[in-house]
Structure formats: C-alpha cells, structure tokens
C-alpha cells in the first residue's frame, strides 16, 4: 500500500487536532464521559477527513501479481524458424519464471502489419501447440505501435505490467519509438 499527497503543505493543519480535542474535553463536560468522548472522536474524525481531502490524499494498493505479454514479430523479414524459436523462448521463459503462488499472468501477441492476441494473459504455462503456424496476420509490414498498444490494453490493470518485444526493428507502419 502506498500513500501520497497532492498538496502535502496542508498537512500542517493537523496540529489543530489536539487543540480541538482539549477544547472539546473542557467544554463538553455536561454530556457525561461516554457521550463527550464520542463527540470529540467524531469531531476529530471529521476534521481529519477534511484535512486529508484538502491535502489530496491518494491511497494506492500495490499488487504483487505480474502480467507479462510477449510481443513477437511475424513480418516477412523474420524467417519461419526464427519465429518458432521466439515463441519457444517465450514459452520456456514463462515456464521457468512465472510464480504460481502469486498467480502471475503471461500471454502472447503476434504482429506484422497488424496485431492479434495469440494467447490471452492467463495464469498457466503457455501452450505448446500455439504459435507461428496458427496465426493469420498480414506479414507485409511491421506495426510495432499497434502491437504494444494491444499488449498494454490486454493486461489487467491490477497487476504489474511488463512487455517483452521480439523484433528485428524494421518498423514500416506506426510511430513507436521502442
């Protein structure tokens, strides 16, 4: 869990909380002990909520789960044997590095002139029978931008996200600087 503030300068207002508590303790004696403590606690809670809202508190829950998308170039500039080796490397990497206890996710995007999800992110090893032979993409170009955009949008937002790109770097479409 991570706590941050947009305007932390307003946190100095918390020095007023003990003053409000002591003032209320003296002024609310006629209520009796239980009601007086309840009234003071309510006042302090409301004031603290207002101070935190003014300071712009942000609470981020950090997940230990990781999503990895392998983005594999299938354009004509990559020969078939290399395509198969790229998928096999991704499959072996997932088998070796995925943490089953955390339920890490892994998936594969194939791309050429367009991109397609070959294996959606899931929490098991990549299948052996998926890969190069099943993909029906336009291979007459390379659009890395579309592939990276598809990979980023296909991963769940509540995980740590990683993209591993296998390409020869000859981009013919899109404007990716990766």
């Amino acid at each position: 869990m991570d706590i941050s503030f947009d305007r932390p300068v307003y946190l100095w207002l918390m020095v007023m909380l003990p003053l409000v508590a002591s003032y209320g303790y003296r002024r609310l004696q006629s209520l009796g002990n239980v009601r007086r403590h309840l009234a003071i606690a309510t006042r302090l809670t409301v004031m603290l909520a207002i101070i935190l809202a003014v300071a712009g508190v942000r609470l981020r829950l950090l997940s230990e789960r990781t999503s990895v998308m392998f983005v594999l170039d299938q354009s004509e500039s990559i020969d078939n044997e290399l395509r198969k080796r790229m998928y096999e490397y991704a499959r072996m990497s997932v088998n070796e590095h995925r943490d089953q206890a955390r339920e890490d996710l892994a998936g594969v995007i194939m791309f050429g002139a367009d991109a397609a999800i070959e294996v959606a992110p899931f929490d098991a090893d990549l299948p052996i029978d998926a890969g190069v032979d099943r993909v029906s993409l336009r291979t007459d170009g390379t659009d890395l931008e579309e592939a990276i955009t598809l990979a980023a949008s296909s991963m769940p937002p509540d995980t740590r996200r990683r993209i591993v790109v296998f390409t020869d770097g000859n981009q013919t479409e899109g404007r990716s600087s990766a």
Side-chain angles (χ1 to χ4, degrees):
M1 187 170 3
D2 182 31
I3 298 174
S4 63
F5 299 95
D6 290 338
R7 298 169 300 278
V9 70
Y10 290 108
L11 292 176
W12 69 269
L13 292 170
M14 286 206 265
V15 299
M16 293 180 3
L17 294 176
L19 299 173
V20 169
S22 66
Y23 178 79
Y25 193 77
R26 284 180 282 163
R27 300 287 183 201
L28 299 174
Q29 287 181 356
S30 63
L31 292 178
N33 268 348
V34 174
R35 290 178 59 201
R36 175 175 43 174
H37 286 98
L38 186 61
I40 292 170
T42 303
R43 285 182 183 180
L44 292 176
T45 302
V46 169
M47 281 191 65
L48 182 62
I50 291 171
I51 291 169
L52 292 176
V54 169
V57 68
R58 290 184 190 188
L59 179 64
R60 240 180 27 177
L61 300 176
L62 301 176
S63 174
E64 291 297 318
R65 289 177 63 196
T66 301
S67 293
V68 178
M69 288 301 291
F70 291 91
V71 178
L72 309 179
D73 190 347
Q74 303 296 302
S75 63
E76 291 174 358
S77 61
I78 308 274
D79 66 79
N80 254 352
E81 183 58 34
L82 184 56
R83 292 178 192 179
K84 290 177 184 177
R85 286 196 342 239
M86 286 189 301
Y87 181 79
E88 185 58 28
Y89 178 82
R91 193 180 71 72
M92 288 181 357
S93 179
V94 168
N95 293 347
E96 184 178 335
H97 298 290
R98 188 178 61 80
D99 187 344
Q100 292 179 357
R102 280 194 321 229
E103 297 178 347
D104 287 346
L105 307 174
V108 177
I109 302 278
M110 302 287 193
F111 76 100
D114 52 358
I117 297 175
E118 176 66 18
V119 179
F122 70 111
D123 61 351
D125 296 337
L126 295 178
I128 294 173
D129 63 339
V132 181
D133 298 332
R134 290 183 14 187
V135 167
S136 59
L137 296 171
R138 281 185 35 228
T139 60
D140 60 338
T142 304
D143 190 353
L144 184 57
E145 177 184 20
E146 180 183 352
I148 290 174
T149 302
L150 180 61
S153 65
S154 65
M155 292 184 280
D158 64 337
T159 62
R160 296 178 180 181
R161 300 192 253 174
R162 306 289 182 262
I163 298 174
V164 180
V165 179
F166 292 95
T167 182
D168 60 0
N170 295 330
Q171 181 170 304
T172 60
E173 300 176 29
R175 302 190 83 199
S176 176
S177 60

